[in-house]
Amino acid sequence: MAGKEQRGGAAPERVLSAALNLFSRHGVSGTSLQMIADELGVTKAAVYHRFQSKEEIVWAVVAPALERLAEVAREAEAQPRRSRQVGTALAGVVDLVVEHRRVSAIILTDPAVSRLVRGHPVLYALEERINRVLAGPEPDAETLVGAAMLSGGLMAAGLDPRLADLDDDTLRRHLLDTARRLMRLRPLPRARTAAEF
Amino acid sequence: MAGKEQRGGAAPERVLSAALNLFSRHGVSGTSLQMIADELGVTKAAVYHRFQSKEEIVWAVVAPALERLAEVAREAEAQPRRSRQVGTALAGVVDLVVEHRRVSAIILTDPAVSRLVRGHPVLYALEERINRVLAGPEPDAETLVGAAMLSGGLMAAGLDPRLADLDDDTLRRHLLDTARRLMRLRPLPRARTAAEF
DNA sequence: GTCTATACGCTGATAGAC
DNA sequence: GTCTATCAGCGTATAGAC
């Protein structure tokens, strides 16, 4: 496994990388600052020199994915027609999950992270915006079920070891096809890539 | 929220109920025996009189759902034809998720629980049996993606607060329809219930 | 059966030497 | 910037009184 690394010390990006690894494997509550420090080959105090608290590390880990999600919401809401809104949002969240697999997973599943994110008013509203774009203004029960299954399904697929061999583009294409089927959208013409929709 | 309850002491089923509640809200690592004891209005020592360790409590919480999953695998494998195998397995896991929503969620998402379960050889094999029944012996990439999305999707739907108002039968029906669409199975005739397939 | 009391390691976090 | 040393508090778990 990952032995102790001494080169580079507690540089911020090394801390965040180690933290993400450990959060994925043990959950946020199951990860101590000691474990992060050990992974980097430094002491806890060195980590505390860069981040004032454990919570600050968690925020720094999830921030990039959340900013991307906000961007996806903006892009989707800017589309004039409903069908384009759903398509844009789906392609956006699929891209997001493929590129930030493990961050997406800890945001969606770790209770400590969920609390943190949902406790933030802007981010709580962001979740609702995404849901509204995906399910529409007055969704029937089946659409609601599809939308609910989407996030968890994408997360599970992004993490599944059986899919780890697929390259990103193939995974993205299959995920988008499957996600559209889940949401009862018509299949996309083969030639187009996910980014074009 | 749930105040301290003094009646009933640390009876095993009360411990497990409180533990499941707390595991769902805070994760296993985020739940201490002190929290469980407080929820019941007893001391930690009283809880330890019934269960020898925290791990033993975790096992007792997840055991019923895992036994059901083994039953689902047996039933599905007993079907003579592939199409029936998939249908039976889907109906089984949908039933399982509807009836054990929160237990399914902590098994699938909590790293501490996943480690425990996957470390057990029989249970690790069970996971593979279910996957083989759902995806078939030589699945193409898209089927693999669908199967991967299934577990996480069902879990997310089972926990989604927007779906909490649906009664169990309605939820079960929509979940099964959506899950079959996900796995590219033909829609089920309306009259049939999930249990019949 | 449930309690009080206790053991001892590890937690997140701080102070100050180099 | 990273270290050593230290803190109070909480973690799991145990012993023994009632």
Side-chain angles (χ1 to χ4, degrees), chain B residues 32-34 44 48 53-54:
Chain B
S32 67
L33 286 167
Q34 185 68 69
K44 286 187 286 181
Y48 268 108
S53 69
K54 187 178 175 180

Side-chain angles (χ1 to χ4, degrees), chain A residues 6-69:
Chain A
Q6 257 116 9
R7 311 261 162 149
E13 66 274 16
R14 293 189 77 234
V15 172
L16 296 183
S17 166
L20 175 55
N21 266 318
L22 292 163
F23 290 167
S24 305
R25 284 208 296 265
H26 307 285
V28 170
S29 301
T31 301
S32 68
L33 287 167
Q34 186 68 68
M35 291 162 80
I36 296 174
D38 286 351
E39 188 94 354
L40 299 174
V42 299
T43 61
K44 283 189 290 180
V47 176
Y48 268 107
H49 182 257
R50 311 288 194 150
F51 299 89
Q52 288 192 343
S53 69
K54 186 178 177 181
E55 191 173 306
E56 200 176 299
I57 297 178
V58 176
W59 275 119
V61 166
V62 298
L66 291 173
E67 281 162 19
R68 268 289 299 272
L69 187 61

Side-chain angles (χ1 to χ4, degrees), chain A residues 5-191:
Chain A
E5 318 255 326
Q6 257 116 9
R7 311 261 162 149
E13 66 274 16
R14 293 189 77 234
V15 172
L16 296 183
S17 166
L20 175 55
N21 266 318
L22 292 163
F23 290 167
S24 305
R25 284 208 296 265
H26 307 285
V28 170
S29 301
T31 301
S32 68
L33 287 167
Q34 186 68 68
M35 291 162 80
I36 296 174
D38 286 351
E39 188 94 354
L40 299 174
V42 299
T43 61
K44 283 189 290 180
V47 176
Y48 268 107
H49 182 257
R50 311 288 194 150
F51 299 89
Q52 288 192 343
S53 69
K54 186 178 177 181
E55 191 173 306
E56 200 176 299
I57 297 178
V58 176
W59 275 119
V61 166
V62 298
L66 291 173
E67 281 162 19
R68 268 289 299 272
L69 187 61
E71 206 179 316
V72 169
R74 276 195 301 274
E75 280 174 17
E77 286 163 349
Q79 300 297 319
R81 298 190 194 167
R82 266 290 301 154
S83 65
R84 291 251 170 174
Q85 287 191 353
V86 182
T88 304
L90 275 183
V93 294
V94 166
D95 278 359
L96 174 56
V97 164
V98 169
E99 279 168 45
H100 299 268
R101 303 180 194 201
R102 288 174 310 170
V103 181
S104 307
I106 70 165
I107 292 175
L108 285 168
T109 67
D110 195 294
V113 179
S114 298
R115 297 218 150 182
L116 213 58
V117 170
R118 300 227 172 96
H120 192 300
V122 174
L123 297 176
Y124 184 81
L126 175 59
E127 193 183 346
E128 300 221 313
R129 283 166 65 200
I130 291 284
N131 285 333
R132 203 176 313 118
V133 169
L134 284 173
E138 287 173 10
D140 56 32
E142 187 142 11
T143 302
L144 226 43
V145 168
M149 286 183 69
L150 185 70
S151 59
L154 288 178
M155 175 216 74
L159 289 178
D160 199 296
R162 294 171 296 167
L163 301 178
D165 289 343
L166 298 180
D167 65 281
D168 281 6
D169 279 343
T170 307
L171 178 60
R172 205 190 323 262
R173 199 179 68 239
H174 286 309
L175 277 182
L176 188 54
D177 287 347
T178 310
R180 291 182 67 94
R181 208 162 59 236
L182 190 67
M183 296 303 290
R184 292 184 293 187
L185 298 186
R186 71 181 194 297
L188 230 40
R190 265 248 173 178

Side-chain angles (χ1 to χ4, degrees), chain B:
Chain B
M1 318 303 170
K4 311 190 179 189
E5 318 254 326
Q6 256 115 10
R7 311 261 162 151
E13 66 275 13
R14 294 189 76 232
V15 172
L16 296 182
S17 166
L20 175 55
N21 267 320
L22 292 163
F23 289 167
S24 307
R25 285 206 295 262
H26 308 285
V28 169
S29 300
T31 301
S32 67
L33 286 167
Q34 185 68 69
M35 291 162 80
I36 296 174
D38 287 351
E39 187 94 352
L40 299 174
V42 300
T43 61
K44 286 187 286 181
V47 177
Y48 268 108
H49 182 256
R50 310 289 193 149
F51 299 90
Q52 288 192 344
S53 69
K54 187 178 175 180
E55 190 172 308
E56 200 176 299
I57 297 178
V58 175
W59 275 119
V61 166
V62 300
L66 290 173
E67 281 161 20
R68 269 288 299 272
L69 186 61
E71 208 179 317
V72 169
R74 277 194 300 275
E75 281 173 18
E77 286 163 349
Q79 301 296 320
R81 297 188 193 169
R82 266 291 301 155
S83 66
R84 289 252 172 173
Q85 287 191 353
V86 183
T88 304
L90 275 184
V93 294
V94 166
D95 277 359
L96 174 55
V97 165
V98 170
E99 278 168 44
H100 299 268
R101 302 179 195 203
R102 287 174 310 171
V103 181
S104 307
I106 70 166
I107 292 175
L108 286 168
T109 67
D110 195 294
V113 178
S114 298
R115 298 218 148 182
L116 214 59
V117 170
R118 300 226 171 97
H120 192 299
V122 174
L123 297 176
Y124 184 80
L126 175 59
E127 192 183 346
E128 300 221 312
R129 284 166 65 199
I130 290 284
N131 284 333
R132 204 176 312 119
V133 170
L134 284 173
E138 287 172 10
D140 57 31
E142 187 142 10
T143 302
L144 226 43
V145 169
M149 286 184 70
L150 184 71
S151 58
L154 288 179
M155 176 217 73
L159 288 178
D160 199 296
R162 293 171 296 167
L163 302 178
D165 289 342
L166 298 179
D167 65 283
D168 281 5
D169 279 343
T170 306
L171 178 61
R172 206 188 323 259
R173 200 179 68 240
H174 286 309
L175 278 182
L176 187 55
D177 287 348
T178 309
R180 291 183 67 96
R181 210 163 57 233
L182 191 67
M183 298 301 291
R184 293 183 294 185
L185 297 186
R186 71 179 194 298
L188 229 42
R190 265 250 172 179
R192 273 187 182 156
T193 68
E196 285 171 321
F197 229 76

